[in-house]
Amino acid sequence: PHYRGQTMASNTLRRVGLLAAGGTAYGAATYLTYHYLTSAKADRDAANARITESGSRFSYVANPNRTETFQQIAFGYDDQIGKDEFVMGIGLMRRALLFFHAKGNVLEVGAGTGRNIGKYPSSVSKVVLTDSSNKMLERAKRKIKDMSASEQKQYEVVVADSADLSQYEDGSFETVVDTFGVLFV
């Protein structure tokens, strides 16, 4: 009986210790998340205040820094976002959406580094990848270059702003794809 009492006491102490450690970890994560999110909001609020003070109307679409930003991050973009997309299952979602919806000639706007390359189904005859950042598209071209010659023929890469696609005639494409491009507009 004396031995069992010591075991119960040590088990209780262990549980209290684990509970305290878990509570501390939870509290720290909550605190850090709160400060991260509120600092980002403060930055957004400050930027919006500067825009309002200047009296101009701001548009992310017309923002000349938009393309410049993507030019700067093009080299490491896939590495930075790849892990997040893997954890969230976005690659599978991309493949499924393209499999069920893409067909014929496809126009992909905001193609970036070509994260959809290799995910298009056989029902797609041609894919025109467009983006305003030539450096992002250079990464896409490298992916295409690693494909077989017959697969490479399926792709065309064009530097173009999705706000002006007048170079293509109406009805040129059966499918238009914009994967997350709207998030960066």
Side-chain angles (χ1 to χ4, degrees):
H2 180 67
Y3 178 73
R4 285 186 186 169
Q6 286 178 341
T7 303
M8 286 180 72
S10 65
N11 282 340
T12 302
L13 285 174
R14 220 175 303 164
R15 287 181 183 160
V16 168
L18 286 173
L19 184 62
T24 301
Y26 174 78
T30 303
Y31 174 80
L32 292 172
T33 301
Y34 171 78
H35 281 288
Y36 172 76
L37 294 175
T38 56
S39 68
K41 183 182 180 322
D43 290 342
R44 283 192 307 274
D45 290 345
N48 287 334
R50 284 192 302 273
I51 292 166
T52 304
E53 288 170 7
S54 70
S56 65
R57 184 161 183 240
F58 183 78
S59 166
Y60 285 103
V61 174
N63 182 358
N65 297 328
R66 177 179 63 133
T67 299
E68 181 182 315
T69 298
F70 285 104
Q71 295 283 71
Q72 292 173 358
I73 66 172
F75 181 75
Y77 184 80
D78 282 339
D79 294 334
Q80 292 172 359
I81 200 165
K83 293 173 189 165
D84 293 337
E85 285 193 1
F86 176 77
V87 169
M88 292 186 285
I90 292 175
L92 293 173
M93 192 175 359
R94 286 177 190 267
R95 189 176 299 279
L97 288 170
L98 293 172
F99 180 81
F100 290 111
H101 300 288
K103 62 182 179 207
N105 291 327
V106 174
L107 172 66
E108 184 172 338
V109 296
T113 61
R115 296 193 60 82
N116 288 333
I117 291 174
K119 293 179 175 63
Y120 284 96
S122 58
S123 60
V124 170
S125 52
K126 182 86 173 166
V127 179
V128 177
L129 302 168
T130 64
D131 199 285
S132 60
S133 169
N134 64 316
K135 289 187 179 180
M136 294 289 269
L137 289 174
E138 285 300 320
R139 305 293 291 174
K141 287 178 184 177
R142 287 184 192 166
K143 291 176 186 176
I144 294 168
K145 190 176 180 181
D146 291 339
M147 302 174 95
S148 70
S150 63
E151 290 174 312
Q152 287 178 18
K153 291 178 185 175
Q154 183 184 21
Y155 293 94
E156 179 183 344
V157 178
V158 179
V159 176
D161 192 331
S162 60
D164 179 19
L165 296 171
S166 58
Q167 63 194 20
Y168 300 107
E169 294 181 28
D170 288 346
S172 296
F173 303 99
E174 284 77 28
T175 308
V176 176
V177 174
D178 180 9
T179 310
F180 299 118
V182 76
L183 296 176
F184 302 109
V185 171

